[in-house]
Structure formats: structure tokens, C-alpha cells
Amino acid sequence: MNCRERCGACCTAPSIASPIPGMPNGKPAGVRCIQLDEHERCKLFGKPERPAFCASLRPAMDMCGGNRAEAMALLSALEIATRPDSPAPLSVGAA
């Protein structure tokens, strides 16, 4: 799967804890990254200053869904599920 044109959901929905050029404290979830251009493309793509978290993201149906709205919903749900203050899921066989 390739990145969807004019999407930018993966640069908006998740929080990024590491510094980003122009955002030295990273960015909170739901905030558009300052490095997105007017076409929702990353200005740091392929550059060494791109955060490792961003470089680790790969487009996939379970992350991107069928459109930008689905991608935002999926990534927002993942953000909530992986927050340090989220309740731990029950393990298989737990009572």
C-alpha cells in the first residue's frame, strides 16, 4: 500500500514524543505536524532529521483504512489504546 494523496493522518492523529524540527517538544495527538506541506506531505521525508517514529510508520489497511477519515479514526483509537494511562487489556484466561 502507498500513502494516500492529501491525507496526512499519520502526521496528525498520533502523538510524537521526540523533537521535530519546528516542534522541539514533539506534538500532541490530534495536532497537525508543522512539517506537513499544503498537500499534506512530509517536508522531512527521506531526510535524517525526520523522527524515527515517523520513519517507522508504513501505510497499511489496518492503519489507513479506506480514506482519511477512517485513518484518523483508526490512528486515534490506537493512540488512546497505547497511552500510558490506558487500562491494561485482560490477558487470555484471566478471570
Side-chain angles (χ1 to χ4, degrees), residues 46-60:
K47 296 183 178 179
E49 58 269 29
R50 187 174 183 216
F53 171 80
C54 301
S56 74
L57 295 173
R58 300 283 185 259

Side-chain angles (χ1 to χ4, degrees), residues 2-72:
N2 293 319
C3 285
R4 185 176 292 113
E5 290 289 319
R6 298 186 176 269
C7 181
C10 62
C11 303
T12 304
S15 61
I16 300 175
S18 59
I20 302 165
M23 300 179 101
N25 298 316
K27 69 166 221 62
V31 172
R32 186 179 187 278
C33 180
I34 197 168
Q35 294 299 330
L36 280 173
D37 70 12
E38 66 275 6
H39 302 289
E40 305 297 330
R41 292 182 301 212
C42 178
K43 294 185 247 179
L44 299 177
F45 191 85
K47 296 183 178 179
E49 58 269 29
R50 187 174 183 216
F53 171 80
C54 301
S56 74
L57 295 173
R58 300 283 185 259
M61 283 305 294
D62 62 345
M63 182 174 86
C64 303
N67 56 49
R68 185 180 193 282
E70 284 183 22
M72 287 294 293

